[in-house]
Amino acid sequence: MLITNAWILFALSLLASALGGALGMASGIFIVPLLVLLGLDVHAAVGAGLVSVIACSCASAAPFLAKRLAHVRLAVVLEVATTLGALCGVWLSGVVSTPVLESVFAAVLAVSAWQMRRRRTPPAFAPAMTGVGTAWVRRLDSRYDDEAGRSTSYRIGRLPLGLALMYGAGLLSALLGIGSGVLKIPAMDTALRLPIKVSSATSNFMIGVTAAASAGAYALQGALLPRLAGPVALGSVVGALLGARILFRVSAEALRALFVVVLIALALLMSLTAAGVITAGARH
Amino acid sequence: MTAADGGAGNLERQLAHLLRGGTAVACTLVALGLLLGSVGGSSAHAGAVLTTIGVWTLIVLPVARVAWMTGWFAWRREADFAAISLAVLAILLLSFAAGSAGG
């Protein structure tokens, strides 16, 4: 089945984005496998996924910026690594075969399911660092206001490790058309020791720039098709806005359990597609 | 006082306006493109053009955000952050150049 109807793409993206947004995930991780399973070539699906990531990042950044939860200076530092990773990912995408790409996607889906089941825990306060560049890194220490209006200070942890993980996140984003939360979450929580709210907001702020690096390259190569990416992006924005309003009433635990099941099912289907057991219809 | 406290949220406010406005424009163009496309005939071509412009607006929006940050940091004489955001801008443009070269 070849999906070319714009309204079907819009509806699918809206659903995926509304569900993904409820747990703070970019919708690309659901949209790309869905498009592949519905018969789209994985490279075209990745292009559409990247535009949806940009749309969701830009649409939802304003409230995080207004509350000063997104750390813009840290974001621009980390974006050096993510955009470099994306640049390498663009180059690799021309080398990696479709079955390998589908296999990597299946692995990322499985790790995401494991991460979601494990839940995020508040990171410990970063210990004082010594060494070259420490004084400059301390300039990135900041604070944010919690729900009660109290100002909470935080300091940045191991920046070099964070940059290395961010490079990997950028690479995965360009290869798979996703926001790469699978690497950004450990980078923000474990390496940089950011408070969860700050890491979510900063990550959301950054993913648009990372995705733009590869989306622009794919578009100029002709691998990104606006007639597919347009409805996917529009559906993602509407879904993200609706999801935040509607789905907060659903139990977070029930939603988390549902997502783990969906991610595992998509991982299995992508593995079978990569192995050639499932033929995903006529390829675009 | 940390570096992030400088500017009292001015940069964040400006970026929020830029991203909100840009996304609204892009989504409007894509939505109009889809509506025209569903009419068919000669409108379908106009719809495809509008959708393409909308998608490109979305792709360029984060680049515009980084460019704005570069200018803001330069204006505030924060040379280190201006240089870092300029580096991000350069990598973005390099990526686009790699795409147009077909590599």
Side-chain angles (χ1 to χ4, degrees), chain A residues 30-70:
Chain A
F30 297 109
I31 288 173
V32 176
L34 274 175
L35 294 177
V36 170
L37 293 168
L38 290 172
L40 214 65
D41 173 69
V42 71
H43 293 99
V46 165
L50 284 169
V51 177
S52 110
V53 168
I54 298 171
C56 285
S57 167
C58 293
S60 55
F64 293 132
L65 286 164
K67 289 178 189 167
R68 301 194 67 194
L69 278 172

Side-chain angles (χ1 to χ4, degrees), chain A residues 33-212:
Chain A
L34 274 175
L35 294 177
V36 170
L37 293 168
L38 290 172
L40 214 65
D41 173 69
V42 71
H43 293 99
V46 165
L50 284 169
V51 177
S52 110
V53 168
I54 298 171
C56 285
S57 167
C58 293
S60 55
F64 293 132
L65 286 164
K67 289 178 189 167
R68 301 194 67 194
L69 278 172
H71 192 328
V72 294
R73 283 173 177 78
L74 176 63
V76 84
V77 171
L78 297 175
E79 277 165 3
V80 175
T82 59
T83 48
L84 268 178
L87 183 60
C88 296
V90 168
W91 175 77
L92 265 181
S93 70
V95 180
V96 178
S97 68
T98 297
V100 171
L101 215 51
E102 288 169 344
S103 304
V104 174
F105 211 119
V108 168
L109 284 163
V111 175
S112 299
W114 175 76
Q115 272 186 349
M116 185 156 285
R117 194 169 168 272
R118 198 168 144 255
R119 301 176 69 173
R120 293 172 75 179
T121 49
F125 195 72
M129 294 193 302
T130 54
V132 180
T134 304
W136 190 84
V137 174
R138 292 279 66 84
R139 286 188 63 200
L140 292 169
D141 293 345
S142 190
R143 57 175 177 252
Y144 74 101
D145 293 334
D146 63 17
E147 297 88 346
R150 286 176 304 224
S151 186
T152 306
S153 297
Y154 60 91
R155 59 195 314 170
I156 305 302
R158 295 166 287 183
L159 188 61
L161 177 61
L163 285 168
L165 288 167
M166 286 296 171
Y167 172 84
L171 191 81
L172 272 188
S173 172
L175 272 179
L176 306 179
I178 59 175
S180 292
V182 68
L183 273 178
K184 279 187 177 141
I185 289 170
M188 297 266 190
D189 290 357
T190 312
L192 299 170
R193 310 265 175 95
L194 291 179
I196 284 174
K197 285 197 166 187
V198 176
S199 71
S200 296
T202 307
S203 170
N204 176 75
F205 182 68
M206 287 166 55
I207 56 175
V209 167
T210 313

Side-chain angles (χ1 to χ4, degrees), chain A residues 215-230:
Chain A
Y218 290 147
L220 289 165
Q221 281 173 2
L224 191 154
L225 307 170
R227 68 188 168 85
L228 299 175

Side-chain angles (χ1 to χ4, degrees), chain B residues 3 7 12 14 22-23 25 28-29 31 35-36 39-40 42 47 58 77 86 93 99 103:
Chain B
E12 285 86 348
Q14 290 165 9
T23 311
V25 169
T28 305
L29 287 169
L35 286 172
L36 282 175
V39 172
S42 59
L58 276 175
R77 299 182 186 201
L86 193 61
L93 297 177

